[in-house]
């Protein structure tokens, strides 16, 4: 398009809004999900729900590393409302439409169960005082949800969801006092380097980690040289480790973030 006209909205609403168009009733229903102003549309005469990004043929994107807080509990509550409508056709925000009441119920239920499970598990761990790093290891999806075609972790993923829910209810502090008011990364790296004072010792260990497939740990260690010395060989090794992280990651958001630094 070379040009277009913008028609600004002139109707606002808080929960629901109905529009009659000829012989059809268009119900616009508010719910929170990826944003706090999300809506879905129900047209009963067509037995169809246009659900937008409440359903996207992927694990719900809770806690995207580059976005604001999202709403896992309100999200599954909205999906439950959609399921109660028993539409014959579901038009998602991304991906193909789903037809048939039973298939739609099954698809929605898997997303509902995923969001409920992660929400409940994270809240339980917060209440027990579990630190985020431990919760990331302890919380695992039930097998039937891991294998569900409706919640593949290609867009959202379990790690994003756990981190996002933790951040929503506890803020950014991870429970380690060292991280409450931290020193600059470069200053910490310089102090760590002063204990070694031999870049080859660090590089040798990083290469060993790379050979074992421990790319993330290699990144932690190589940063000692990158941040404190601006070391050229270390910077090349860091790029290699980042590329490896990107290559092995099935989540395209994480993969694309890694690739920004290669």
């Amino acid at each position: 398009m070379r040009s277009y006209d913008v028609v600004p909205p002139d109707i606002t609403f808080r929960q629901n809004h109905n529009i009659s168009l000829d012989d059809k009733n268009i119900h616009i229903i508010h719910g929170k999900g990826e944003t706090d102003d999300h809506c879905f549309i129900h047209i009963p005469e067509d037995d169809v729900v246009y659900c937008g990004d409440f359903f996207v043929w992927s694990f719900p994107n809770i806690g995207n590393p580059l976005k604001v807080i999202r709403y896992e509990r309100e999200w599954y509550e909205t999906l439950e409302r959609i399921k109660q409508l028993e539409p014959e056709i579901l038009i998602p925000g991304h991906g193909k439409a789903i037809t048939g009441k039973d298939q739609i119920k099954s698809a929605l239920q898997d997303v509902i169960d995923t969001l409920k499970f992660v929400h409940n598990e994270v809240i339980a761990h917060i209440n027990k005082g579990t630190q985020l790093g431990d919760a990331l290891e302890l919380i695992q999806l039930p097998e039937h949800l891991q294998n569900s075609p409706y919640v593949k972790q290609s867009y959202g993923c379990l790690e994003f969801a756990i981190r996002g829910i933790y951040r929503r209810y506890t803020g950014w502090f991870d429970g380690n006092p060292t991280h409450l008011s931290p020193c600059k990364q470069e200053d910490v790296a310089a102090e760590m380097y002063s204990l070694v004072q031999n870049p080859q010792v660090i590089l040798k260990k990083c290469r060993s980690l790379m050979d074992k497939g421990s790319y993330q740990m290699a990144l932690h260690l190589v940063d000692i040289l990158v941040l404190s010395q601006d070391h050229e060989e270390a910077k090349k090794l860091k790029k290699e480790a980042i590329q490896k992280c990107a290559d092995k990651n099935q989540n395209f958001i994480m993969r694309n973030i890694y690739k920004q630094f290669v």
Side-chain angles (χ1 to χ4, degrees):
M1 295 186 298
R2 296 186 181 277
S3 64
Y4 55 90
D5 294 325
V6 175
V7 179
D10 58 4
I11 298 172
T12 61
F13 63 94
R14 290 186 176 275
Q15 294 298 327
N16 305 324
H17 183 69
N18 299 325
I19 299 173
S20 294
L21 187 62
D22 292 332
D23 60 344
K24 293 184 180 180
N25 294 294
I26 302 170
H27 303 301
I28 308 172
I29 302 166
H30 171 252
K32 291 183 178 181
E34 287 196 352
T35 63
D36 59 4
D37 59 354
H38 203 351
C39 298
F40 69 88
I41 296 172
H42 178 223
I43 304 179
E45 290 80 9
D46 292 341
D47 207 3
V48 61
V49 167
Y50 297 86
C51 65
D53 287 351
F54 285 117
F55 184 92
V56 293
W57 287 91
S58 167
F59 194 108
N61 197 339
I62 301 293
N64 183 323
L66 304 177
K67 298 291 175 65
V68 298
I69 289 173
R70 293 175 170 184
Y71 304 93
E72 79 294 332
R73 179 174 55 80
E74 294 87 340
W75 194 328
Y76 72 68
E77 289 172 349
T78 302
L79 290 174
E80 288 174 333
R81 295 176 70 184
I82 294 174
K83 192 181 74 166
Q84 290 171 1
L85 295 171
E86 298 188 338
E88 183 65 32
I89 304 170
L90 185 74
I91 310 292
H94 301 270
K96 63 183 180 181
I98 305 178
T99 58
K101 295 182 185 297
D102 290 341
Q103 186 175 353
I104 290 171
K105 284 182 179 179
S106 178
L108 294 177
Q109 193 62 56
D110 277 6
V111 182
I112 291 168
D113 289 346
T114 297
L115 288 168
K116 275 188 175 180
F117 173 82
V118 182
H119 169 83
N120 292 342
E121 285 291 303
V122 170
I123 295 301
H125 278 289
I126 289 173
N127 288 336
K128 288 191 293 187
T130 307
Q131 291 202 358
L132 174 58
D134 293 328
L136 287 167
E137 293 184 0
L138 293 170
I139 299 174
Q140 299 293 325
L141 285 176
E143 186 175 356
H144 75 284
L145 294 177
Q146 291 183 31
N147 298 327
S148 169
Y150 307 113
V151 287
K152 294 179 179 178
Q153 298 187 48
S154 56
Y155 178 46
C157 65
L158 179 61
E159 181 176 346
F160 288 177
I162 295 171
R163 290 184 183 277
I165 297 169
Y166 254 84
R167 184 175 62 169
R168 178 180 184 184
Y169 293 109
T170 66
W172 56 262
F173 179 51
D174 64 2
N176 183 348
T178 304
H179 300 153
L180 185 58
S181 183
C183 298
K184 290 178 61 178
Q185 295 181 80
E186 293 84 354
D187 294 341
V188 175
E191 291 295 334
M192 296 178 71
Y193 179 73
S194 72
L195 300 175
V196 182
Q197 296 185 347
N198 185 342
Q200 292 306 315
V201 171
I202 298 173
L203 290 171
K204 182 179 179 180
K205 180 61 177 179
C206 288
R207 292 191 190 100
S208 173
L209 289 167
M210 293 281 288
D211 290 341
K212 296 175 183 177
S214 300
Y215 309 123
Q216 185 61 50
M217 185 58 73
L219 285 173
H220 287 297
L221 294 189
V222 79
D223 263 353
I224 297 173
L225 294 178
V226 172
L227 296 175
S228 68
Q229 307 295 309
D230 197 29
H231 195 284
E232 288 300 322
E233 187 178 352
K235 288 193 288 186
K236 291 179 181 178
L237 195 150
K238 181 173 182 176
K239 281 192 173 184
E240 183 182 345
I242 293 170
Q243 183 65 62
K244 292 291 187 182
C245 288
D247 291 342
K248 75 171 189 175
N249 203 296
Q250 299 301 308
N251 182 276
F252 80 79
I253 291 179
M254 295 182 74
R255 188 166 63 244
N256 289 345
I257 291 174
Y258 281 128
K259 286 183 176 181
Q260 292 179 31
F261 301 95
V262 176

